[in-house]
Amino acid sequence: MFDLFDALTLARAQFAFTVSAHIIFPAFTIGLASYLAVLEGLWLWTRDGRYMQVFAYWKTIFAVVFGMGVVSGIVMSYQFGTNWSVFSDKTGPILGPLMGYEVLSAFFLEAGFLGVMLFGEKRVGEKLHFFATLMVAVGTLFSAFWILSVNSWMQTPAGYGVNEVGQFVPTDWWAAVFNPSFPYRFVHMVLAAYLTTAFVVGGVGAWHLLRDRDNRGARLMFSMAMWMALVVAPLQVLAGDMHGLNTLEHQPAKIAAMEGHWETRQGAPLILFGLPDDEAEETRYALEVPHLGSLILTHEWNGEVRGLKAWPKDERPPSAVVFWSFRVMVALGFAMVGLGLWSAVLRLRGRLYASPWLHAAAVVMAPAGFAAVLAGWVTTEVGRQPWTVYGLLTTAQSSSPLDAAAVGASLLAFILVYFAVFGAGTFYVLRLMARPPGAKVAEDQGPLRAAGITPGPAMAAPGPRRAE
Amino acid sequence: MELDLPFIWAALIAFSVLAYVVLDGFDLGIGILFPLIGEGRDRSVAMNSVAPVWDGNETWLVLGGGGLFAVFPLAYATILPALYAPLIAMLIGLIFRGVSFEFRHRTRRGRFLWDWGFAGGSLLAAFAQGITLGALVQGIEVADRAYAGGWWDWLTPFSLLTGVALVFGYALLGATWLVMKTEGRLQRRATDFAWVSAVATLILIAVVSLATPFLNPAFLERWFAWPTMIFSLVVPALVAACAWMLFSGLTDHRPLRPFLAALGLFTLCYAGIGISFYPYIVPPSITIWQAAAPDASLAFLLVGAAVLIPIILLYTGYAYWVFRGKVDPEEGYHQDHP
């Protein structure tokens, strides 16, 4: 079916690679920007130096991650034109203005105030500085709003007509922006970004608590992160369930692939594990729970769930990928809920900072958000195949009249550059995370202290507004 | 009264691209000059002079590209595949130099790598943008709403010439920015850079201007037929005035003047290209009206642009105001570790 080196496959690979690399950064910076705003706000309110200490700690990390997000995002903004020019021509009249609003309302806001937030501490008052931090956070949320609107429109198009040259043209902007799946996707993504950040912050806090359980900055990070896990992870499960119901309504083939269902059934089972096989049209070795599939999806014991065989073969998404990526996401989601509950129990017993087991678990779970976000995007994007605009424009129809050599060469270039540049960036971020909060460390000398021999007074909260 | 929305949007996109060229121009220019600035403190000062604003500058590029997608989707869908290779090269250049701002402060042993990433990335991005511009000016072949030319059509002596011209032009912007923002030894060196790059830029402007009308009979017609011939008299005169202002500012040590003069030069060249182009957006194939999205799309985004662009200009201006004056080598969030 696929020729590994045809232009379309290479263009798809390039998009998958660059967008997956990119999503990592916003998933982190959306949450981190809000976290920084909360920390600075709490500092202004309470004047408790710990908040400023933790703020300064994450601000540097934010700057590095944000830089990587900006440059990988610019690549995305040009890729629609280079590799998917037919798609751009046809959807431009609707998706273009939505992305235009993203640039106007979000990118400029973030970029304009980022400089003040990072470098302006001594040049503007503390209230204005807080305002800049707030604007950066708001900008990241606006950005998520528009980009999720764009993605959702492609999945559940609304408010459009088609003109004489085959372009999608707007008939009702309100319906196009707030298309049927948009609210669910937007909430699901923002919560995912908040959880991603919470688990990174919690993991870093726990890492330093394992070395020094009295570190005040690490305690603050860990405590705040575990509150987020406790409150937001269950909300995310709820949001995911609602999103699933919406997908069942608008993209039932995706749900069938996620569930590994081939036959249309009433009282469908929930397939916990199995091996979906597109050729044989069955899910082999399925481990099933009777009726649970219908119950979860339709909220009825005997609700009807359509199977993949209800669609012609060339309109089915590849089921194995979707089936497994969905399970990875769900499993990670429940692990997050579990960690949140565990932390709550220990908090009630007054042992939140005293349990190495909990801290070790939090360290292990630090990258869970990234993995879940990637798995979730794979589920929703592979699950919509073979369509770019669901039911209307196929992926094969969307690509540029491209030369395989050109796409192949640029794909190779992006892979090499991304691994070199973002690999180095990840290394620097990890090194920044290795310094304990509150320690005055020259960044390029690595951690100053050996584990576990920290003198207490070194951890004293810094004075207000001390630069790093 | 019926608003000519495609025309308004063409003007707005043109403004975004100009804003990009002059704003990111000076910070790319600093990257181009970077290897010539001695290692150590001067380099950090040069970089710190643009660190708070480069991200905002680059956003105009996203507005230019994103705006094209939004309001001239056919232009976006034909120009980008036609200029595939230089655009990919530009993106890769922008990746390296964008991350270098943060990365070079995160390592001492690896700093030289990111100094080169900053310099090489800036040079590559500038050269690729110049090639892109030249390739666009010389024309893009379109058939049936898609790019119909070959994969190497962009590569001609003319596009290489515009590539080199833009590199020197950006270097001039960067040098005059440094003259304005720094003091002492670095300022003296920047003055030397400004002299050299100004002379080179002016020569290249002349060569490109003379070559352009012969690429396309329509350009020749535009420049040498009445009444548009007025431009052919006025634009060179204004270029000469800017050149005089630039050199006299450098000689008389009036640090603001050369930068303003360099901005003036860029604006004039840009206007010159616009005069050649109009009314095409993809010369010689597609006019702005043929490429435009339906009025419903143009009007929808125009409402937002009318409200948001003035606000953007306000807070961008504020950000520049916050970081006004000479760069204080002792200040900055990036502490240099000796």
Side-chain angles (χ1 to χ4, degrees), chain A residues 14 59-60 63-64 66-68 70-72 74-83 85-101 103-116 118-120 122-124 128 146 163 165 167-170 173 177 400-403 406-407 410 413-414 417-418 420-422 424-426 428 431-432 441-445 467-468, chain B residues 9 48 51-67 69-71 73-74 76-78 80-81 83-84 87-88 90-92 94-99 102-111 113-114 145-147 151 291-294 296-305 308-309 312 315-316 318-319 321-328 330-335 337-338:
Chain A
Q14 187 175 120
K59 188 181 84 166
T60 318
V64 179
F66 191 86
M68 293 191 275
V70 167
V71 295
S72 60
I74 291 180
V75 172
M76 296 315 302
S77 78
Y78 277 80
Q79 197 157 67
F80 292 106
T82 50
N83 288 354
S85 63
V86 178
F87 170 84
S88 300
D89 179 29
K90 289 191 189 305
T91 63
I94 290 187
L95 299 186
L98 303 187
M99 292 197 204
Y101 269 103
V103 181
L104 290 171
S105 69
F107 290 171
F108 276 109
L109 199 64
E110 295 169 39
F113 285 101
L114 183 74
V116 179
L118 294 182
F119 308 103
K122 292 182 203 146
R123 288 178 174 251
V124 300
L128 265 174
W146 291 109
N163 71 6
V165 289
Q167 289 176 309
F168 297 99
V169 293
W173 279 111
V177 174
S400 302
L402 280 174
D403 186 36
V407 201
S410 58
F414 279 127
V417 168
Y418 276 33
V421 170
F422 299 142
T426 307
Y428 296 142
R431 211 162 56 172
L432 285 170
V441 177
E443 282 107 2
D444 40 309
Q445 289 167 354
E468 286 141 80
Chain B
W9 267 111
N48 283 346
V53 291
W54 76 272
D55 193 9
N57 296 345
E58 203 160 278
T59 307
W60 292 97
L61 179 69
V62 185
L63 183 61
F69 179 35
V71 292
L74 184 56
Y76 182 79
T78 47
L80 270 66
L83 303 176
Y84 198 87
L87 286 173
I88 300 284
M90 174 191 84
L91 292 172
I92 286 173
L94 291 178
I95 289 174
F96 274 103
R97 74 125 203 176
V99 296
E102 284 296 329
F103 285 8
R104 80 185 287 274
H105 297 281
R106 304 287 149 233
T107 168
R108 188 163 49 173
R109 248 182 313 169
R111 173 167 300 176
L113 280 176
W114 301 112
R145 300 183 77 79
Y147 173 57
W151 290 103
S297 304
L298 273 53
F300 176 66
L301 192 57
L302 189 61
V303 174
L308 291 169
I309 287 181
I312 290 167
Y315 63 64
T316 304
Y318 170 73
W321 173 251
V322 167
F323 297 101
R324 69 192 176 277
K326 302 281 180 188
V327 190
D328 178 358
E330 304 304 322
E331 197 191 18
Y333 120 117
H334 291 313
Q335 307 283 324
H337 307 295

Side-chain angles (χ1 to χ4, degrees), chain B residues 273-312:
Chain B
I273 294 164
I275 291 165
S276 298
F277 256 46
Y278 187 82
Y280 290 96
I281 193 162
V282 187
S285 316
I286 305 171
T287 68
I288 54 179
W289 293 278
Q290 287 164 342
D295 274 4
S297 304
L298 273 53
F300 176 66
L301 192 57
L302 189 61
V303 174
V307 175
L308 291 169
I309 287 181
I311 298 176
I312 290 167

Side-chain angles (χ1 to χ4, degrees), chain B residues 19 55 62 86 112 129 140 154 165 231 242 252 258 285 291:
Chain B
D55 193 9
V62 185
F112 76 99
Q129 285 174 7
I140 285 172
W154 52 270
F231 296 124
C242 281
D252 304 343
S285 316

Side-chain angles (χ1 to χ4, degrees), chain B residues 79 97 118 132 166 179 241 255-256:
Chain B
I79 293 174
R97 74 125 203 176
F118 184 56
T132 302
L166 199 65
V179 168
L256 179 61

Side-chain angles (χ1 to χ4, degrees), chain A residues 341-364:
Chain A
L341 290 172
W342 185 9
S343 76
V345 170
L346 290 183
R347 196 192 292 270
L348 279 175
R349 294 188 189 156
R351 294 184 41 80
L352 186 66
Y353 307 114
S355 166
W357 286 105
L358 177 69
H359 301 161
V363 171
V364 171

